[in-house]
Amino acid sequence: MSEARFRIEHGAIPEPVRRVCSTLHKAGFGAWIVGGCVRDLLLGRPISDWDVCSSATPEQVQKLFRKVIPTGIQHGTVTVVLDGVHYEVTTLRGEGAYSDGRRPDSVFYVDDVREDLARRDFTVNAIAYDVTRDEFIDPFDGRDDLRAKVVRAVGDGNERFREDGLRVLRAARFSATLEFALDDATRDAIRPNLPTFRKVSRERVRDEWMKTMKARRPSRAFSVMNETGILDELCPELAASSRLRVPGFNGSLFELSLAVMDAIEPGDAVLRLAALLHAIGDKSVERFAKGNKFSNDERERLVHLTRSASEFPMDRTVADAALRRWLRGATRGAVSELATLMRAKAAVLGDGDGIATLEALLERVDEIVVRRDPIDARELAVNGEDLQRSLGIAPSKQMGQLLAWALQEVLDDPSRNERETLLAMIRARAESA
Ligand code: ATP
Ligand code: MG
C-alpha cells in the first residue's frame, strides 16, 4: 500500500466533524477522531460513525455546543448533534481492573490520549488523529499493522482478553470484515481466555455474529473461531461438522457450510446465518438461536429456512404434489430466499446435474405459485361454515379433520378444489367414517 494512502485528506472528514474538533480546540481542549473511523479512513473503507475523544469532560462539552444529548454520561460520553447528525464525544478514559471479565470496575478520566488508546482492543483500532493539526497519535503502530493487514492486540493479548472476554470474538470478526490476518501471538492468547469469554453476555455475542455477516467473506471469522475453540463454546454442532466429510466435495461439512454462506451476498445476515447452520439440523439451530439471544423473529426465520431447505424434494422425478406439500411448509413468501440458499449450495458443490435438477424443480414451484394451486386450508373452496350449512357438521374436532383431509386431497390434485366436488367428497368421507 502506498504511503499516500496513509495520509488523511482534509476533504475526507465531514465539515461538522472538523467543527466539533476545532470548537474543542479553541476552548483549550485536546480533540481527536479515534477508533473505527480513523482505521476505515486509512483503509479507504466507508465510515460507519465518527467518534471523537477529548480531554474535555462531558459537562465542558455540553457548554460548548447548542444541542448535546447526555447519552452515556456515566462512561464519559455525550452526543453532539450538528446538522441533525450525531457525533459521540467521549472524555479520555483510563480503565481500572476488570474483575468480572465483562466491564471495568471503574472508569476514570485521564489527560493523556495515549492512556485512552492503551485500553482499546486492537492496534488498528487504537489510532487517534488530530484533525486540526493533521497529526496522528499512534503509540502501538496501528498504521504499520494496517499496512501489513494484521489484527494485533494492543500490548499483551492475554491481558486484553482477560479484561474483556468479548475481544476474542471481535478479533475473529475484524479478521473477516477487514480481511486481515490474525497476529500469531494474539491468536494464541484466545484459547487460554475462553473461560472469560463464557462470561460475556449473549446479547453482545449476538451483535458480533450479525456484524460478522456483513463481511464480504464471513468464513474467515468462523475459521478463526473454529481453530481457537470459540466455536465449540457457541455452537458445538457446527464445530463438530468440521470432522465430517462430504461425498463429492473437497472438504468438510463445515467448509461446505462456510462456502455456501460466503456465496450469498451480504445484506441479509439471517439468510447467511441460515446457510452457515443449514446442515446441523433444525433442533440444533433452534438451540443455537435461543442460547445466543437472537430475537424471536430471527430464530423463527432461521429454523424455518434451515428446515425448509433440508426438506426440499431434490428429485427430478418427484410429482407436483410433493412440491406443493413442500411449498405449504416453506410458504410462498420465502421461496425466493430459499432458492438463493439452495442455489448457493448447488453452485458450491459444483455438480452440474444437481444444479439442473434444482433449476427444473424451482421452475415447477414457480408455476405452482403462479397458478395459485391451493396449499393451505384457508385456500380451499369450502370452509367450516359450508360444512355446517350444507352437511350439518357442527364445529368440532371432526370438522377440523375433514378439512385437513380435504386439503390433502387438493394438494394431490388441485382440480378437486371446487365447492360441489369437495362437499360431495367430504360428505362421502363423513358417512364412511
Ligand atoms: P465497527 O463500528 O466497524 O464495528 P469499530 O472499531 O468502530 O468498528 P466499535 O465497537 O464501534 O468498533 O468501537 C469503537 C472503538 O472503541 C473501537 O475502534 C475500539 O477502539 C474501541 N472498542 C470497542 N469495543 C472495545 C472493547 N470491547 N475493548 C476495547 N476497545 C473497544
Ligand atoms: Mg464503530
Side-chain angles (χ1 to χ4, degrees):
M1 201 176 292
S2 72
E3 273 308 303
R5 282 193 62 188
F6 277 87
R7 295 189 50 86
I8 292 181
E9 300 292 329
H10 186 73
I13 297 168
E15 193 277 327
V17 174
R18 278 184 263 139
R19 219 187 316 154
V20 170
C21 293
S22 65
T23 305
L24 286 160
H25 265 282
K26 280 181 201 140
F29 301 109
W32 299 263
I33 57 172
V34 70
C37 63
V38 178
R39 177 197 70 213
D40 291 339
L41 266 176
L42 290 170
L43 291 173
R45 295 168 56 93
I47 315 289
S48 54
D49 28 46
W50 295 90
D51 292 324
V52 173
C53 63
S54 172
S55 58
T57 63
E59 294 71 27
Q60 289 167 328
V61 178
Q62 278 175 313
K63 287 192 188 123
L64 287 171
F65 299 91
R66 205 172 318 137
K67 187 158 181 201
V68 181
I69 310 169
T71 36
I73 282 225
Q74 68 280 23
H75 315 111
T77 304
V78 294
T79 300
V80 174
V81 185
L82 284 181
D83 307 336
V85 183
H86 289 200
Y87 303 96
E88 285 201 345
V89 179
T90 304
T91 306
L92 299 177
R93 293 175 304 185
E95 274 175 13
Y98 285 70
S99 49
D100 66 355
R102 289 189 290 191
R103 55 180 64 83
D105 299 336
S106 60
V107 176
F108 48 90
Y109 299 147
V110 297
D111 292 325
D112 187 351
V113 64
R114 283 155 215 272
E115 261 189 77
D116 181 280
L117 295 173
R119 67 168 178 86
R120 292 173 185 267
D121 47 9
F122 304 107
T123 61
V124 294
N125 289 345
I127 310 170
Y129 177 69
D130 185 328
V131 175
T132 318
R133 299 197 180 114
D134 182 23
E135 182 183 280
F136 286 99
I137 314 288
D138 182 14
F140 305 101
D141 298 322
R143 284 171 299 171
D144 287 345
D145 285 336
L146 283 177
R147 282 188 197 95
K149 295 178 173 284
V150 179
V151 175
R152 183 195 316 273
V154 167
D156 178 11
N158 226 340
E159 272 173 40
R160 291 284 85 76
F161 294 157
R162 201 165 49 226
E163 289 163 352
D164 177 357
L166 186 71
R167 291 173 184 164
V168 300
L169 191 52
R170 285 173 62 86
R173 196 247 295 181
F174 283 121
S175 77
T177 52
L178 303 176
E179 304 185 21
F180 278 19
L182 187 55
D183 159 64
D184 285 340
T186 303
R187 176 190 301 258
D188 292 345
I190 293 180
R191 198 178 280 279
N193 288 292
L194 291 177
T196 313
F197 174 63
R198 273 178 219 133
K199 297 192 230 162
V200 172
S201 84
R202 296 291 122 172
E203 288 80 0
R204 292 178 78 199
V205 170
R206 176 210 162 271
D207 291 348
E208 289 298 322
W209 278 76
M210 296 305 263
K211 286 183 177 175
T212 303
M213 290 300 165
K214 293 189 187 143
R216 197 158 58 99
R217 282 199 291 270
S219 57
R220 199 191 271 258
F222 292 98
S223 298
V224 169
M225 284 159 66
N226 191 40
E227 286 156 18
T228 54
I230 298 175
L231 201 58
D232 282 308
E233 302 292 332
L234 293 176
C235 188
E237 298 92 336
L238 187 58
S241 75
S242 66
R243 293 182 290 276
L244 298 175
R245 296 278 121 200
V246 183
F249 177 71
N250 183 20
S252 67
L253 182 58
F254 177 60
E255 287 165 318
L256 171 66
S257 304
L258 293 183
V260 179
M261 167 181 67
D262 283 357
I264 294 174
E265 291 293 309
D268 186 343
V270 172
L271 184 59
R272 282 184 132 189
L273 196 50
L276 177 68
L277 300 173
H278 81 274
I280 67 172
D282 50 12
K283 288 278 167 293
S284 299
V285 171
E286 174 131 43
R287 191 152 6 120
F288 165 83
K290 274 205 178 121
N292 289 287
K293 295 277 188 271
F294 283 79
S295 72
N296 291 346
D297 282 355
E298 287 164 347
R299 187 184 70 236
E300 281 164 20
R301 237 189 113 206
L302 274 177
V303 171
H304 174 252
L305 288 170
T306 47
R307 181 184 295 154
S308 300
S310 75
E311 286 173 350
F312 190 70
M314 199 60 147
D315 172 0
R316 215 184 244 285
T317 64
V318 86
D320 273 4
L323 292 172
R324 282 190 287 269
R325 288 203 163 82
W326 174 78
L327 186 61
R328 170 167 158 67
T331 73
R332 295 187 182 94
V335 167
S336 88
E337 55 203 36
L338 281 162
T340 303
L341 175 51
M342 295 188 291
R343 282 189 172 116
K345 183 169 181 178
V348 168
L349 286 169
D351 150 27
D353 281 353
I355 294 172
T357 301
L358 176 64
E359 291 307 330
L361 292 171
L362 286 174
E363 206 172 311
R364 285 168 59 196
V365 168
D366 250 2
E367 287 161 11
I368 289 168
V369 170
V370 169
R371 283 199 306 263
R372 295 212 65 86
D373 286 0
I375 55 166
D376 190 282
R378 281 167 303 192
E379 295 164 4
L380 289 174
V382 296
N383 60 21
E385 223 169 281
D386 297 318
L387 265 58
Q388 187 165 13
R389 231 181 286 142
S390 308
L391 305 179
I393 298 169
S396 59
K397 197 170 163 208
Q398 186 205 11
M399 178 190 272
Q401 286 168 343
L402 286 168
L403 285 170
W405 173 79
L407 175 64
Q408 291 305 320
E409 295 293 308
V410 169
L411 283 166
D412 282 333
D413 180 359
S415 75
R416 292 175 186 152
N417 197 32
E418 299 278 343
R419 187 183 145 84
E420 293 312 318
T421 313
L422 284 182
L423 284 176
M425 283 170 56
I426 292 171
R427 178 183 296 115
R429 171 92 179 169
E431 280 164 3
S432 75

